[in-house]
């Protein structure tokens, strides 16, 4: 009688909570309806998840880590809550559950010349560890990662590679060129650095320096040049871990709102992620020796 009851319960659970084929790991948190013992053991976990809004059907869905290195302290990443919301919504539209993962973000441009710069390089590994902790702790089935300021680009990619996870990256975009009212031409972050040197050499006065500082960066986005962030975003794209064309382009429009193109990229990266999940293509199937060799040759060509 006990065995019959167990079989009947398993059949009931499997029918009521039939998991998605894309839910390959997250049953470790939600419970496996085909394993009545595990299902019972995970009642406490499901209770916690119900407290944040889970319904019965949500326990059948794949869980996806959405890496959102947001901070309002710097222009590179201060639009990531907008992008993250779009990605979360698109994941839900495709039948998934999104678990957000926030990370530290250190701006090289803001901290240079101060003790704060000591935290920049080490933040790369902290970012990677934060992502790995959240992804592994909740046994998520895939990762989609946003990146912007310098160390977030490698920081969000490293855990995908070292875990051999199914994942994809999306760059937040660079800032638009700056303009001043009294002169033609464009400005960017480099213009400010050059103006500092010119002021130090006595070539311009403090008012000219102030004008360049005020006009160089009109809105959100990474530094407008082939510096660390933009170079690395192109490298991630070349490695195949980001969709073609998404490693470049502006973050915002002239009203400092996220561009329609960048919003579309959010939808496309989720679509690509679900395709990877269906095909069971993990990071190390993309990050092959040939891929790194092609990137190396490309960098040599660019440098020459």
């Amino acid at each position: 009688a006990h065995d019959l009851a167990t079989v009947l319960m398993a059949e009931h659970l499997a029918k009521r909570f039939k998991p998605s084929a894309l839910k390959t790991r997250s049953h470790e948190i939600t419970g496996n309806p085909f394993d009545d013992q595990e299902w019972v053991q995970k009642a406490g976990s499901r209770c916690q998840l119900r407290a944040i809004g889970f319904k019965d059907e949500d326990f059948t869905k794949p869980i996806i880590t959405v890496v959102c290195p947001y901070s309002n302290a710097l222009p590179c990443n201060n639009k990531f809550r907008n992008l993250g919301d779009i990605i979360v919504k698109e994941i839900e539209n495709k039948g998934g559950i999104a678990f957000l993962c926030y990370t530290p973000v250190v701006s090289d441009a803001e901290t240079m010349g101060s003790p704060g710069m000591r935290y920049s390089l080490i933040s790369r590994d902290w970012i990677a560890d934060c992502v790995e902790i959240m992804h592994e702790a909740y046994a998520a089935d895939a990762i989609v990662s946003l990146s912007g300021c310098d160390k977030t680009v490698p920081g969000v990619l490293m855990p995908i590679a070292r875990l051999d996870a199914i994942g994809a990256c999306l760059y937040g975009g660079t800032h638009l060129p700056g303009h001043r009212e009294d002169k033609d031409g464009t400005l960017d972050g480099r213009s400010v650095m050059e103006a500092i040197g010119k002021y130090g050499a006595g070539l311009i006065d403090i008012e000219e320096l102030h004008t360049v500082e005020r006009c160089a960066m009109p809105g959100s986005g990474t530094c407008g040049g082939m510096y660390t962030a933009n170079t690395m975003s192109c490298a991630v794209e070349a490695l195949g871990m980001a969709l073609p064309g998404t490693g470049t382009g502006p973050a915002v429009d002239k009203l400092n709102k996220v561009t329609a193109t960048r919003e579309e990229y959010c939808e496309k990266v989720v679509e690509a992620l679900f395709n990877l999940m269906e095909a069971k293509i993990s990071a190390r199937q993309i990050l092959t020796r040939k891929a790194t060799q092609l990137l190396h040759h490309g960098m040599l060509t660019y440098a020459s």
Side-chain angles (χ1 to χ4, degrees):
H2 176 73
D3 291 341
L4 178 60
T6 300
V7 170
L8 291 174
M9 182 178 76
E11 289 178 350
H12 169 71
L13 290 175
K15 184 177 180 180
R16 185 176 179 184
F17 297 99
K18 184 178 180 180
S20 163
L22 305 182
K23 189 177 178 70
T24 56
R25 294 201 322 154
S26 55
H27 61 80
E28 295 174 17
I29 293 294
T30 61
N32 182 357
F34 295 106
D35 183 337
D36 58 293
Q37 183 176 0
E38 180 184 292
W39 184 262
V40 170
Q41 291 174 344
K42 296 302 178 183
S45 174
R46 290 194 300 277
C47 176
Q48 297 285 325
L49 293 169
R50 289 182 190 278
I52 64 170
F54 267 57
K55 307 300 181 186
D56 279 357
E57 60 270 20
D58 293 325
F59 297 116
T60 70
K61 299 174 181 178
I63 293 174
I64 296 168
T65 303
V66 177
V67 183
C68 187
Y70 164 80
S71 174
N72 64 349
L74 68 167
C76 309
N77 296 40
N78 73 326
K79 296 293 186 181
F80 280 16
R81 284 204 297 191
N82 307 68
L83 300 179
D85 287 345
I86 297 170
I87 289 172
V88 167
K89 183 178 179 181
E90 193 64 20
I91 288 172
E92 292 173 349
N93 288 342
K94 288 189 171 295
I97 295 290
F99 279 6
L100 282 161
C101 168
Y102 291 95
T103 75
V105 187
V106 178
S107 166
D108 287 8
E110 292 179 14
T111 60
M112 68 171 68
S114 78
M117 190 64 178
R118 299 170 186 169
Y119 294 89
S120 177
L121 182 58
I122 63 167
S123 73
R124 179 193 64 192
D125 296 286
W126 275 73
I127 291 165
D129 291 345
C130 285
V131 176
E132 180 174 345
I133 288 169
M134 291 295 289
H135 185 70
E136 291 297 288
Y138 293 98
D141 302 294
I143 307 177
V144 58
S145 295
L146 290 165
S147 65
C149 195
D150 297 347
K151 305 309 178 286
T152 62
V153 184
V156 301
L157 175 61
M158 287 162 60
I160 300 176
R162 69 191 187 192
L163 295 172
D164 193 22
I166 296 175
C169 299
L170 177 62
Y171 189 53
T174 191
H175 74 77
L176 290 171
H179 299 275
R180 51 189 296 174
E181 298 175 356
D182 57 341
K183 291 182 181 180
D184 293 332
T186 60
L187 301 171
D188 56 30
R190 182 184 63 181
S191 305
V192 181
M193 300 298 107
E194 292 175 349
I196 293 171
K198 289 178 180 179
Y199 177 76
L203 300 177
I204 60 173
D205 59 22
I206 193 66
E207 288 303 319
E208 175 68 9
L209 174 60
H210 176 67
T211 298
V212 175
E213 171 196 327
R214 183 171 51 84
C215 299
M217 294 182 65
S220 298
T222 58
C223 294
M226 289 307 290
Y227 312 131
T228 306
N230 284 328
T231 301
M232 295 184 73
S233 69
C234 291
V236 173
E237 184 182 323
L239 285 169
M241 293 303 295
L243 291 175
T246 59
T248 56
V252 296
D253 58 22
K254 292 181 179 180
L255 298 176
N256 204 28
K257 294 182 179 180
V258 174
T259 66
T261 300
R262 199 59 53 180
E263 291 180 348
E264 184 181 351
Y265 287 163
C266 290
E267 297 172 359
K268 286 185 175 181
V269 74
V270 173
E271 181 180 1
L273 183 73
F274 272 76
N275 289 338
L276 291 171
M277 293 170 70
E278 289 172 1
K280 295 181 171 57
I281 299 174
S282 61
R284 293 185 193 174
Q285 293 172 266
I286 299 170
L287 294 169
T288 61
R289 182 178 181 84
K290 183 177 181 181
T292 56
Q293 287 174 336
L294 288 172
L295 175 61
H296 178 67
H297 293 325
M299 291 174 66
L300 291 177
T301 302
Y302 174 78
S304 64

